Amino acid sequence: MSTMAMESITGQRPDSRQDTLGGPYVALVLFMLIYFSRPEDWIPGLSHAPLAKFTGVLALLGLVFSLRHIRQRLPREVMFLFVLVGQLFIASAMSPIWSGGALQATLDFAKVMIVVTVMAVTVNSLRRLRLLVLVQAACVAAIAAVAVWKGSLIGGRLEGTFSGNYADPNDLALAVTISLPLCLALLFLSKRMLWKAVWIAAMVVMIYSVFLTGSRGGFLALIVVAAVSLWTLFIRGRRRYLLVLAALGGLLLWPLASATVFERMTATFDSEEDTSAAYLSAQQRQQLLLRSIEVTAQHPLFGVGPGNFDTVSGNWHTTHNSYTLMSSEGGVPAFILYVLILWCGFANLRAAKRLIRGQTKAALLAHAITASLVGYVVGSFFLSVAYQFFPYILVGYTTALFSISANSAAQSNRLDAARQVQPAKELVWQSDATTVVHS
């Protein structure tokens, strides 16, 4: 239907906010490109350039100058994130350990508010959401490929050449795992065979890199992601023929890279000398979990401040559990807010799926984001990643998808109502004309 026809039927002009919010959206895309690809780690001379901060400031300025075009309220998950950051600032000030370090950690984390807010406001079309998903999937796939190619094996485990979110093998495994469903959705959305082949190759390399990291938490998250993806995208999505290809791929990959994962998984409950490193690691993590619960009980309101748990842990390690990381460093309120943010993500996805009516592209993205979020919820139970941007960006995807689905459903309802009114008007006009002729 043409723009003029739509305007005549609905009685409204098409929404022009997509054009007016283009500036902050472009800045958001640039930020995510830098955040996920970390060019400062592989381009000489950029290590001292604050590229992420610069693009974040651009996104914030673009948002400020576009405020007059924003009509909707901020969704509840964004408000919960604001309150969470506020709670962490209070926890920093009340820290009994080191308030200065806690404040710096909170300031670094607080930048995520800008990212999620800009995403909630500017991502108002499926095309824009798909581009953000593409940026994350492509960047993380490239990181996995470089890690496999140039990474070093330390203690039999893959450690990438990047820093930040990819420096630790466990963090690298989780980042790759939660990005796999996004690659799978882009595979189905691609129309050209060349791009389909590229995404298949990317996923093979990504799964291989997860195996090489030897991360037990990453491997469990991978199993969950695979199960959710197989159910939602293959079985319920009526792509059962792909189950055979997935099984063949698993059989080919497992002998190549399963040794490290299998040994570490079996060593978790085995204290034999040849597997003592993994066994001691599992025992240490159990002690850290208990210690984090103890610290939470001792400081229930404000914790010990962000980044300070390793000081009171007894062995200078973090909790290896994102949930108790929040409770021990930010207090029980921070833990509740953190869980509420994740819960809002799942609530958005459920609501969006109900609103999607035969929209294959939106449904694919909804199922992929669901698998990614479930994988994060499982994997983060074994890793301290609560201050990374990954989970909040995933929740931001759900915010955008729900908003897009709701607007599309509302517009479809208005068009249906207009189509029902239009024949009635024509019938009345014909009836009046007939009356005039007879008179």
Side-chain angles (χ1 to χ4, degrees):
M1 182 177 294
S2 66
T3 304
M4 184 177 298
M6 183 182 297
E7 183 178 345
S8 63
I9 291 177
T10 61
Q12 297 179 354
R13 291 183 178 275
D15 192 359
S16 61
R17 287 179 299 162
Q18 183 168 338
D19 296 329
T20 57
L21 296 173
Y25 173 75
V26 171
L28 173 65
V29 173
L30 292 176
F31 173 85
M32 293 187 61
L33 181 63
I34 292 170
Y35 182 80
F36 288 117
S37 65
R38 295 193 63 82
E40 63 272 20
D41 289 343
W42 48 274
I43 298 180
L46 290 182
S47 58
H48 301 291
L51 297 178
K53 293 181 180 179
F54 178 72
T55 53
V57 171
L58 285 180
L60 178 60
L61 291 176
L63 182 64
V64 170
F65 287 117
S66 303
L67 285 176
R68 65 183 184 277
H69 302 291
I70 299 173
R71 299 291 182 267
Q72 75 272 30
R73 294 180 179 179
L74 289 178
R76 55 187 175 179
E77 55 271 18
V78 178
M79 300 305 298
F80 286 148
L81 180 58
F82 273 69
V83 178
L84 173 60
V85 173
Q87 170 69 16
L88 294 179
F89 273 117
I90 298 175
S92 301
M94 302 293 291
S95 173
I97 307 300
W98 184 25
S99 59
L103 178 61
Q104 183 58 51
T106 304
L107 287 172
D108 291 338
F109 173 68
K111 301 168 188 173
V112 75
M113 292 190 303
I114 301 175
V115 178
V116 176
T117 302
V118 174
M119 188 180 299
V121 172
T122 64
V123 184
N124 45 29
S125 69
L126 206 60
R127 183 178 181 182
R128 287 188 172 185
L129 177 59
R130 182 176 173 179
L131 178 58
L132 295 183
V133 170
L134 173 63
V135 168
Q136 176 177 344
C139 290
V140 176
I143 292 292
V146 173
V148 172
W149 176 39
K150 298 185 65 176
S152 56
L153 292 177
I154 299 179
R157 303 179 63 190
L158 176 67
E159 186 174 86
T161 59
F162 298 88
S163 58
N165 304 326
Y166 309 114
D168 184 81
N170 297 305
D171 294 349
L172 174 63
L174 184 61
V176 172
T177 298
I178 63 177
S179 299
L180 272 168
L182 307 181
C183 295
L184 187 59
L186 292 170
L187 165 65
F188 292 142
L189 290 173
S190 300
K191 297 180 179 180
R192 297 183 179 180
M193 293 303 300
L194 175 60
W195 286 114
K196 290 182 180 292
V198 169
W199 286 119
I200 291 175
M203 288 188 292
V204 170
V205 174
M206 292 168 75
I207 296 173
Y208 184 66
S209 69
V210 173
F211 285 153
L212 288 181
T213 61
S215 173
R216 289 165 290 190
F219 179 67
L220 292 175
L222 179 62
I223 293 177
V224 173
V225 165
V228 176
S229 299
L230 289 175
W231 173 252
T232 58
L233 294 174
F234 289 9
I235 298 178
R236 294 189 62 183
R238 298 180 180 179
R239 301 179 182 89
R240 295 181 178 87
Y241 63 94
L242 293 175
L243 289 173
V244 178
L245 297 179
L248 290 176
L251 291 175
L252 291 175
L253 283 174
W254 181 251
L256 295 175
S258 62
T260 303
V261 176
F262 183 73
E263 289 176 1
R264 288 181 59 80
M265 292 295 290
T266 55
T268 301
F269 308 101
D270 187 359
S271 59
E272 295 295 329
E273 182 178 357
D274 58 343
T275 59
S276 60
Y279 175 78
L280 291 176
S281 173
Q283 294 299 308
Q284 184 184 71
R285 291 193 178 197
Q286 182 179 355
Q287 295 173 1
L288 288 169
L289 176 63
L290 295 175
R291 177 56 180 160
S292 63
I293 296 174
E294 180 183 351
V295 171
T296 301
Q298 294 172 351
H299 307 276
L301 292 180
F302 304 109
V304 295
N308 284 337
F309 175 79
D310 55 351
T311 305
V312 299
S313 64
N315 54 13
W316 295 96
H317 282 80
T318 186
T319 66
H320 291 286
N321 184 299
S322 296
Y323 305 95
T324 59
L325 177 69
M326 274 293 179
S327 64
S328 61
E329 295 189 348
V332 175
F335 163 77
I336 294 174
L337 290 166
Y338 176 70
V339 173
L340 282 175
I341 292 170
L342 297 176
W343 175 83
C344 286
F346 287 109
N348 288 337
L349 289 169
R350 287 194 299 269
K353 290 175 183 178
R354 287 196 298 266
L355 294 170
I356 295 171
R357 300 177 181 178
Q359 301 179 35
T360 305
K361 295 181 180 179
L364 280 172
L365 291 176
H367 293 316
I369 297 170
T370 300
S372 295
L373 199 54
V374 171
Y376 174 81
V377 168
V378 174
S380 63
F381 190 83
F382 306 96
L383 302 172
S384 299
V385 290
Y387 299 130
Q388 293 186 9
F389 288 11
F390 280 94
Y392 309 99
I393 289 176
L394 286 177
V395 174
Y397 291 160
T398 72
T399 303
L401 185 61
F402 170 68
S403 177
I404 294 167
S405 302
N407 291 335
S408 177
Q411 186 179 32
S412 177
N413 291 334
R414 289 195 299 268
L415 290 174
D416 291 341
R419 292 190 185 100
Q420 293 175 2
V421 171
Q422 196 73 13
K425 290 183 177 179
E426 293 178 357
L427 183 60
V428 171
W429 180 83
Q430 291 175 1
S431 177
D432 291 343
T434 303
T435 303
V436 170
V437 169
H438 285 295
S439 62

